[in-house]
Amino acid sequence: MVITNEHIWALLEQVPDPEVPVLSVVDLGVVRDVAVTGPDAVTITITPTYSGCPAMDMISMNIRMALLEAGIKDIRIESRLSPAWTTDWMSDEGKRKLKEYGIAPPVNPSGPDGLFQSREQVPCPHCNSTHTELISQFGSTSCKALYRCLDCKEPFDYFKCHR
Amino acid sequence: MNITLPSKNRTAMCDYVLQMADSNLILAQRLCEWCGHGPILEQDIALSNIGLDLLGATRSLYQYAAQLQNENKTEDDLAFLRGERDFRNFLICELPKGDFGFTVVRQFLFEAYQLLLLEALQQSSDTHLAAIAEKSHKEALYHYKWSAEWVIRLGDGTEESKRRVQESIDDIWTYTGEFFIATEWEQELIAAGAIPDFRTFANAWKEKVAEVFNEATLTMPPADVFMQKGGKNGVHTEHLGFLLAEMQYMQRQFPGEEW
């Protein structure tokens, strides 16, 4: 079997993020590099979203399992810290899938950054109202904040803009 | 991870990385003691989240320290099998969690320092340490914001919240001097340009802290207050032994046990 970069990327697009399963590890921007190093050998470089993200070990294992299932035997998975992960690396497709799932995707900051200020105007993923407020900068996982919609009254998760 | 290890000052760098890791780990342990005990659910979650970020940085740092040591040790050995005198964390990190106000004040004073340190460390000639700093700095921005906002809410809150936070500041202040004194190995690294001269951060740190205290209507202790030291050299308060006994129990009782 001749493996190509495209083939590997296509396989990785099928590997879900364990915490937000609607996103693949590619949508999330966690996969930084794919290198075919031999007839049956690949090196995948991944980067953690947040330093303490407990999903990283599982992501690494899931990637390995997916490639093994596709018949690739020699798999190296390396971790890279710099440049540090940013939500700018999340794909548009990923953002669309997040919103459909009920999580507000990262929004580019528009306001000033200061204490008691929210830099982002986050639309509600349910009713699209921008009349929303931050409950807590820290949510169910490191990458999410808690918001509430002041129009439809639903609380929701926001995937923080991390730059 | 492919890391190019520094050719010079390797022992000193190992000591420094351990010290950063220890401070992060011990503070993470203190923060996670709040799990299930936070004043409200969202803040309970926030405290554990911050602890988790610190724990993540700890892992990167211990992994690096283990490589620098080159003694076949793992990150787990460094966290769970070292004794109290081997730990080099800042004393401020090991103080018992106290009430919510105490935890908030300690976090704020620590993060105000971390922001300055992690920003400057990104310029380190040690590229791996610089990469860890780059990652942690982004997270420290959230921690700083969270803790500064709570210092203001509590300081400028009720009579009781103000009294408690002011008392916490007066109690903790004596442990902040350690941020700005350099051990022998740190002096070696500063001279080699491998780490920033953090002794020069004292003024910037004080300004940052004063700004928030001002907003919070809190009083900064006088400049000539006695400062504790010793953590970086392994001389700790009585609290660290108890913390380690709890944190290390499983690995000591069941060596090599994994989840």
Side-chain angles (χ1 to χ4, degrees):
Chain A
M1 181 179 66
V2 181
I3 48 173
T4 62
N5 263 25
E6 289 73 29
H7 180 203
I8 302 295
W9 280 104
L11 288 170
L12 294 174
E13 271 165 26
Q14 303 305 313
V15 179
D17 174 73
E19 301 271 15
V20 191
V22 283
L23 292 185
S24 76
V25 292
V26 174
D27 291 329
L28 198 56
V30 157
V31 179
R32 299 317 301 155
D33 199 26
V34 168
V36 177
T37 51
D40 211 9
V42 290
T43 300
I44 315 285
T45 305
I46 56 175
T47 192
T49 51
Y50 285 74
S51 305
C53 178
M56 278 316 281
D57 290 338
M58 196 180 256
I59 286 177
S60 181
M61 192 177 72
N62 290 350
I63 289 177
R64 189 174 293 278
M65 296 300 284
L67 297 183
L68 280 171
E69 261 176 44
I72 297 155
K73 293 194 182 69
D74 184 357
I75 305 154
R76 278 179 65 95
I77 299 176
E78 294 191 344
S79 167
R80 182 192 287 165
L81 287 177
S82 177
W85 177 82
T86 153
T87 36
D88 292 348
W89 293 343
M90 186 185 289
S91 66
D92 288 340
E93 176 66 6
K95 289 180 186 163
R96 191 189 56 77
K97 287 195 256 179
L98 265 185
K99 181 166 184 285
E100 259 179 31
Y101 191 58
I103 299 174
V107 178
N108 289 339
S110 51
D113 187 17
L115 299 180
F116 300 106
Q117 280 174 327
S118 186
R119 290 183 303 162
E120 299 115 282
Q121 181 67 255
V122 181
C124 170
H126 307 298
C127 74
N128 296 318
S129 161
T130 51
H131 193 206
T132 61
E133 71 175 4
L134 173 73
I135 299 173
S136 172
Q137 197 63 252
F138 300 93
S140 54
T141 62
S142 309
C143 51
K144 293 190 230 102
L146 275 174
Y147 271 71
R148 119 170 18 106
C149 177
L150 298 171
D151 281 334
C152 76
K153 314 291 184 200
E154 282 289 323
F156 63 91
D157 270 338
Y158 166 55
F159 204 109
K160 284 187 264 199
C161 176
H162 193 60
R163 282 183 157 168
Chain B
M1 198 176 300
N2 283 326
I3 303 172
T4 319
L5 295 172
S7 51
K8 283 185 292 183
N9 314 105
R10 194 160 150 174
T11 313
M13 185 50 90
C14 182
D15 286 336
Y16 185 70
V17 172
L18 276 177
Q19 172 193 314
M20 278 182 75
D22 291 345
S23 288
N24 276 281
L25 174 65
I26 300 301
L27 187 51
Q29 178 76 7
R30 285 294 184 217
L31 284 167
C32 292
E33 287 172 1
W34 278 102
C35 192
H37 301 274
I40 52 169
L41 182 61
E42 286 78 9
Q43 297 317 318
D44 193 302
I45 294 171
L47 289 160
S48 297
N49 258 272
I50 296 171
L52 188 63
D53 283 343
L54 296 182
L55 206 55
T58 305
R59 290 193 60 189
S60 298
L61 291 162
Y62 277 149
Q63 286 164 11
Y64 186 37
Q67 289 195 305
L68 288 167
Q69 273 186 339
N70 199 20
E71 290 171 6
N72 275 328
K73 295 232 174 85
T74 66
E75 52 182 305
D76 285 352
D77 295 328
L78 294 174
F80 296 122
L81 300 178
R82 283 153 69 235
E84 189 184 345
R85 291 301 294 260
D86 300 323
F87 271 77
R88 297 164 187 281
N89 59 280
F90 291 127
L91 297 174
I92 195 173
C93 299
E94 71 201 42
L95 300 175
K97 75 183 198 305
D99 60 15
F100 183 66
F102 186 94
T103 285
V104 158
V105 167
R106 183 234 309 269
Q107 200 66 29
F108 169 65
L109 298 175
F110 178 78
E111 298 295 350
Y113 175 74
Q114 286 293 97
L115 276 189
L116 295 166
L117 176 70
L118 295 172
E119 178 148 27
L121 258 184
Q122 295 175 51
Q123 315 305 320
S124 169
S125 56
D126 185 317
T127 49
H128 190 63
L129 187 58
I132 297 174
E134 180 190 345
K135 183 103 202 127
S136 301
H137 182 257
K138 283 189 180 193
E139 293 160 12
L141 289 167
Y142 293 115
H143 309 164
Y144 174 80
K145 188 168 192 252
W146 175 86
S147 56
E149 287 176 357
W150 273 107
V151 167
I152 295 169
R153 281 195 194 99
L154 297 175
D156 196 18
T158 64
E159 210 171 289
E160 181 175 1
S161 69
K162 183 186 174 121
R163 175 183 60 77
R164 288 203 193 198
V165 171
Q166 185 64 57
E167 279 175 14
S168 299
I169 291 170
D170 297 340
D171 286 346
I172 300 175
W173 200 253
T174 182
Y175 295 97
T176 57
E178 250 191 332
F179 292 152
F180 311 108
I181 47 174
T183 58
E184 265 172 48
W185 64 85
E186 287 171 330
Q187 288 172 31
E188 179 187 328
L189 294 171
I190 291 168
I195 60 170
D197 190 350
F198 51 81
R199 292 168 294 192
T200 63
F201 295 168
N203 284 337
W205 178 83
K206 250 186 199 158
E207 270 172 36
K208 245 178 150 44
V209 171
E211 202 183 311
V212 169
F213 280 5
N214 220 12
E215 179 87 29
T217 67
L218 293 163
T219 313
M220 189 181 270
D224 57 354
V225 63
F226 172 78
M227 288 294 180
Q228 299 281 354
K229 60 181 178 191
K232 296 196 212 180
N233 287 306
V235 182
H236 292 279
T237 67
E238 70 272 29
H239 308 297
L240 184 65
F242 292 97
L243 182 150
L244 292 183
E246 186 175 12
M247 188 182 79
Q248 298 183 333
Y249 172 81
M250 288 295 278
Q251 274 302 312
R252 300 246 185 211
Q253 188 73 5
F254 305 102
E257 192 80 319
E258 284 182 29
W259 283 107

